[in-house]
């Protein structure tokens, strides 16, 4: 049997064949209104992004915002555990994400168990690695699960970072100080050791999920999108043809994903993505909130950490002589704004 869920639109509409995605896109773009709105939107977005990148280094409130956000980095493991732990528990109990297979209900039990381990902060690295292996195996069986690739990024980041605090692992280490692995290491904390890798993993997960959702869920499965627009009367909210609604939503989601993948204006893009996902909850009342929690958590982590070294933000910051970076404090690792 086919997986019941691939992405947001599938929560509210059944899977519908879409025989000619390219023809649908070309027919939509043949409308002069569609061309004007899409091109105008792209040009306005590019102009706004360029202005922001130019003004950002000298914008004092933004500098203070980034510096304060950077002080929250100790909470990143907790943020990831809460976000993806809740997603896996909700998925396991409701069967929202797991494919329906012939092997019974154990995948749902496995998801629930991993979710509770992450939420409690117990054996976090092992739980995250097990969850990541299970997801990648499921992805090979059904590539459409790429639309929840944020799960892979979050689990990979947790496998590196460990439980953090507060967590049951931390409490047990304190209680059993002589147990193997309980002694405090002289090495820097995990987030400092993996300061460049963790933002990259989260960006790959979140950006990949958004890009896949925009392309696969909206543009390649346009019939389902059209039914969603009709069901919720979205053309009354924004009076444009239903076809343009679907194409526009797909492009917005795909472009946000691409910007996050590249690490371009990452904190601002993550906040905008958070706002778009929030509006989706109100626009599609049948869309369960649990499906967005991992996305919300990934956005929040990027607001705290920024893009990391391997990003366009870092490249642009270096080209401008370092302007826009957070001033490093003792022991801190500076990140692009």
């Amino acid at each position: 049997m086919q997986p019941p869920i691939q992405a947001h639109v599938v929560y509210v509409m059944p899977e519908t064949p879409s025989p000619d995605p390219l023809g649908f896109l070309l027919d939509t773009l043949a409308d002069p209104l569609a061309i004007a709105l899409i091109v105008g939107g792209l040009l306005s977005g590019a102009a706004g992004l360029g202005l922001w990148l130019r003004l950002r280094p000298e914008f004092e409130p933004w500098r203070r915002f980034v510096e304060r956000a950077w002080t929250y980095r100790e909470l990143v493991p907790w943020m990831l555990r809460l976000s993806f732990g809740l997603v896996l528990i909700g998925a396991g109990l409701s069967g929202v994400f797991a494919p329906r297979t012939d092997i019974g209900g154990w995948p749902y039990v496995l998801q629930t168990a991993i979710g509770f381990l992450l939420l409690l902060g117990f054996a976090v690295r092992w739980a995250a690695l097990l969850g990541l292996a299970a997801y990648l195996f499921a992805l090979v069986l059904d590539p459409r699960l790429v639309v929840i690739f944020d799960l892979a990024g979050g689990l990979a980041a947790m496998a590196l970072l460990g439980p953090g605090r507060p967590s049951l692992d931390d409490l047990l280490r304190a209680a059993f100080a002589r147990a193997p692995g309980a002694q405090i290491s002289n090495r820097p904390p995990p987030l400092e050791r993996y300061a460049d890798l963790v933002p990259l993993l989260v960006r790959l997960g979140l950006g990949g999920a958004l890009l896949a959702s925009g392309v696969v869920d909206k543009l390649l499965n346009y019939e389902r999108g059209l039914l969603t627009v009709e069901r919720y009367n979205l053309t009354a909210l924004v009076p444009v043809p239903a076809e343009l609604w679907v194409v526009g939503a797909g492009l917005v989601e795909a472009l946000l994903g691409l910007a996050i993948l590249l690490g371009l204006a990452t904190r601002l893009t993550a906040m905008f993505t958070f706002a778009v996902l929030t509006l989706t909850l109100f626009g599609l009342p049948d869309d369960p909130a649990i499906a967005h929690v991992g996305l919300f958590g990934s956005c929040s982590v990027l607001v705290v950490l920024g893009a990391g070294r391997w990003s366009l933000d870092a490249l642009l910051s270096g080209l401008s002589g370092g302007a826009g970076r957070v001033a490093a404090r003792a022991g801190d690792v500076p990140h692009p704004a």
Side-chain angles (χ1 to χ4, degrees):
M1 299 180 66
Q2 296 296 331
I5 300 301
Q6 281 86 47
H8 310 300
V9 173
V10 193
Y11 290 116
V12 297
M13 294 303 299
E15 193 159 1
T16 306
S18 300
D20 188 11
L22 180 59
F24 167 75
L25 181 61
L26 294 177
D27 289 343
T28 302
L29 296 179
D31 184 354
L33 174 63
I35 295 177
L37 290 176
I38 291 175
V39 173
L42 291 175
L43 291 177
S44 299
L49 178 62
L51 183 63
W52 170 253
L53 293 174
R54 181 178 179 84
L55 297 179
R56 181 180 63 180
E58 308 301 328
F59 189 39
E60 185 64 19
W62 180 253
R63 185 187 65 80
R64 292 196 297 267
F65 175 90
V66 170
E67 287 184 346
R68 179 57 61 89
W70 179 239
T71 65
Y72 295 169
R73 64 195 181 279
E74 184 181 357
L75 301 175
V76 165
W78 192 29
M79 294 162 64
L80 289 169
R81 283 173 33 225
L82 288 177
S83 301
F84 291 100
L86 288 172
V87 166
L88 288 171
I89 291 173
L93 294 178
S94 65
V96 169
F97 286 132
R100 299 188 187 277
T101 65
D102 298 328
I103 53 178
W106 72 263
Y108 304 103
V109 177
L110 178 63
Q111 286 183 113
T112 307
I114 293 173
F116 273 111
L117 289 174
L118 296 179
L119 205 59
L120 291 171
F122 181 62
V124 169
R125 285 192 171 94
W126 289 108
L129 287 172
L130 178 60
L132 181 60
Y135 169 75
L136 293 177
F137 178 73
L139 182 62
V140 172
L141 296 180
D142 190 342
R144 290 173 298 180
L145 293 177
V146 70
V147 294
I148 55 169
F149 200 66
D150 56 301
L151 181 62
L155 290 171
M158 281 183 278
L160 287 180
L161 293 177
R165 295 191 310 163
S167 67
L168 185 56
D169 280 344
D170 183 65
L171 294 174
L172 291 175
R173 286 169 184 163
F176 302 98
R178 294 188 177 182
Q183 289 78 14
I184 298 177
S185 172
N186 293 325
R187 294 182 301 172
L191 188 56
E192 292 189 20
R193 298 203 305 272
Y194 305 114
D196 296 315
L197 191 54
V198 169
L200 176 64
L201 291 172
V202 176
R203 280 173 34 223
L204 290 175
L206 176 60
L210 292 171
L211 182 60
S213 182
V215 174
V216 176
D217 188 45
K218 307 298 190 304
L219 301 180
L220 296 184
N221 291 291
Y222 60 88
E223 290 288 357
R224 191 168 55 208
L226 293 173
L227 291 174
T228 303
V229 173
E230 179 182 359
R231 174 172 178 173
Y232 295 103
N233 196 23
L234 297 179
T235 54
L237 181 63
V238 178
V240 297
E243 294 80 5
L244 185 55
W245 246 105
V246 175
V247 172
L251 287 177
V252 168
E253 203 165 12
L255 289 174
L256 287 174
L258 184 61
I260 289 174
L261 279 173
L262 296 175
L264 180 62
T266 303
R267 284 189 169 95
L268 184 67
T269 305
M271 289 189 289
F272 188 76
T273 301
F274 197 107
V276 169
L277 293 170
T278 303
L279 290 175
T280 303
L281 292 178
F282 292 99
L284 303 177
D286 297 330
D287 199 356
I290 191 66
H292 293 74
V293 173
L295 299 170
F296 285 139
S298 297
C299 289
S300 301
V301 167
L302 291 180
V303 171
V304 172
L305 297 181
R309 180 179 300 175
W310 298 307
S311 65
L312 286 181
D313 280 344
L315 177 62
L316 294 173
S317 177
L319 292 176
S320 62
R325 284 184 176 269
V326 181
R329 299 194 180 108
D332 288 355
V333 179
H335 280 262

